[in-house]
Amino acid sequence: MTSPDSSPSPTAWRTLLALAVVFVMLATTGWTALQQHGERGTARERALSAWEKGRVGGVDLPDPASSHRRIAAFFASLTAAQRVGLADRYPLVVGNLNGAPLTLRYRANRLAVLQARDGERERMRDDRLSLDGRQLANRRMHRFASMAGGDRHILAFDPTGGGRAAEVFGDLGSAERVSVVVPGVDTNLLTFERTDRRFTAPVGMARSLYDAERAAAPRTRTAVIAWADYTAPAGLGVEAAIGRLASDGAVRLNALTSALPGDSRVSLICHSYGSVVCGIAARRLPARVTDVAVAGSPGMRVGSAGQLRTHARVWAMRDQDDWIQDVPYLKVVGLGHGADPMTPDFGARILSARGAVGHSGYFEPDTESLRNFADIGVGSYRNTSCADDGDACRRGISGAEVI
């Protein structure tokens, strides 16, 4: 605080200026906090209501909020026919149950996606909808048709509102190393994958990383998850400047990482607002999560890597042309996401992002940013490229200093 007759300190001026920038950003981009993230009577709600009343073999079905161990034990107690019967009857529930067998979740989610596709096809023909409404239904129908095609492994799916989804590349059940790609703002079912600029969408990011990991370590069994299974902010409004949605996403991310099958080591690859989700999740991550790497981060809701209170190594990178560096790095009255992970005082291991152009180019093939993500994902730390062209980012990791 300053006295009434004194001028604010330089630090206070910078804070005031940063706050002004934040509020100008909110005013010019629109307040999006009031958007609806769901609606009563959705397909998901109806499925949960039916599940609560259901039974199998004379036994009540478990609470979907039960621990993954409880869910796994329940499915292990069933016959194969009973498991398939539940997936076919309640696809929107079974497909999202951490602890349920992977193949069963894939089956259930394919059915759920097909049902959602058929529902949107019906909406396209509904004359009561506006032209915009029918066009949106058409776009969603095509997205769901794509997700149901081929041999895709959809790990999670909920069409409510903007929707959530997760997809697996590789064999998650037998993987030695698993990478989870956590995307940022404007992530929903319509942006889950793209034909143009495909490496800016979660599916393209994960596919690109999976290919890079296989190239980096052909003998290592790897899997990559495109994890868009949280409600991300829409645009750069107030929801992008606060941590509410990130906190909700962190709960879901912790549940995922705790329930992954086997004993694989896990890396979180977090882009933009996704790094806020990872920052909040950090202190409750299971021990199997060995690395958290952020790119284009607006902050991780802390002042330093030590405040994340995680055993995992923390890595950071940012392209020199990334506009995110102009966003105020602060946390005042709930606004902002804390310190810049790229500063020396933060304490992250700073990686090169050479080749990545702008805020969305970190997963483009043949970039150092993607190669660094891949090397972290497969545990090949000695091959990572540090931002200073030295070995500072590799120091203290056993065997990593050997070039």
Side-chain angles (χ1 to χ4, degrees), residues 42-100:
T42 64
R44 168 79 170 159
E45 288 176 338
R46 293 193 297 272
L48 287 170
S49 178
W51 174 272
E52 290 171 2
K53 301 179 181 72
R55 292 169 66 85
V56 61
V59 177
D60 291 340
L61 303 181
D63 184 344
S66 300
S67 72
H68 68 275
R69 293 184 180 85
R70 168 76 180 89
I71 297 297
F74 167 74
F75 279 101
S77 71
L78 303 178
T79 66
Q82 288 173 326
R83 288 193 289 268
V84 170
L86 287 178
D88 292 353
R89 197 177 318 146
Y90 309 104
L92 270 177
V93 179
V94 175
N96 294 285
L97 286 178
N98 288 319

Side-chain angles (χ1 to χ4, degrees), residues 25-41:
M25 178 188 73
L26 296 179
T28 57
T29 58
W31 292 75
T32 60
L34 299 179
Q35 62 184 326
Q36 294 294 323
H37 297 301
E39 56 186 79
R40 293 188 180 276

Side-chain angles (χ1 to χ4, degrees), residues 158-388:
D158 182 358
T160 305
R164 300 191 298 253
E167 182 171 2
V168 175
F169 296 91
D171 188 343
L172 185 58
S174 67
E176 302 167 274
R177 308 283 309 205
V178 175
S179 296
V180 182
V181 175
V182 184
V185 299
D186 288 328
T187 296
N188 53 54
L189 286 174
L190 289 180
T191 61
F192 186 52
E193 57 183 325
R194 291 189 175 103
T195 301
D196 297 328
R197 301 177 63 241
R198 66 182 185 276
F199 301 119
T200 67
V203 168
M205 292 176 178
R207 177 85 241 189
S208 181
L209 179 58
Y210 178 62
D211 291 343
E213 287 187 356
R214 294 183 67 190
R219 297 182 180 178
T220 301
R221 298 191 304 276
T222 66
V224 177
I225 302 173
W227 191 78
D229 194 24
Y230 82 104
T231 300
L236 298 178
V238 66
E239 288 286 21
I242 62 177
R244 185 180 71 86
L245 293 180
S247 295
D248 294 343
V251 172
R252 300 181 68 82
L253 182 59
N254 286 133
L256 169 82
T257 54
S258 297
L260 289 172
D263 57 359
S264 57
R265 295 189 178 185
V266 179
S267 299
L268 302 184
I269 310 297
C270 319
H271 177 244
S272 193
Y273 188 85
S275 67
V276 185
V277 178
C278 292
I280 297 174
R283 68 183 57 194
R284 293 183 177 86
L285 291 172
R288 69 191 305 179
V289 179
T290 58
D291 298 275
V292 177
V294 302
S297 174
M300 301 180 74
R301 304 294 288 182
V302 294
S304 69
Q307 292 177 7
L308 292 172
R309 292 170 57 187
T310 179
H311 63 280
R313 286 174 285 267
V314 181
W315 309 77
M317 69 170 72
R318 185 171 63 216
D319 177 65
Q320 61 182 359
D321 296 322
D322 190 334
W323 58 262
I324 202 76
Q325 63 192 310
D326 298 323
V327 171
Y329 285 91
L330 75 160
K331 186 181 177 186
V332 179
V333 198
L335 287 171
H337 301 304
D340 182 356
M342 293 293 292
T343 61
D345 289 344
F346 188 85
R349 299 172 181 273
I350 307 302
L351 294 160
S352 170
R354 195 171 293 119
V357 178
H359 187 62
S360 301
Y362 295 98
F363 293 85
E364 290 283 343
D366 301 321
T367 58
E368 282 194 7
S369 53
L370 179 62
R371 283 192 288 270
N372 276 327
F373 285 152
D375 287 332
I376 290 169
V378 299
S380 184
Y381 304 111
R382 69 177 62 189
N383 292 324
T384 54
S385 302
C386 304
D388 60 2

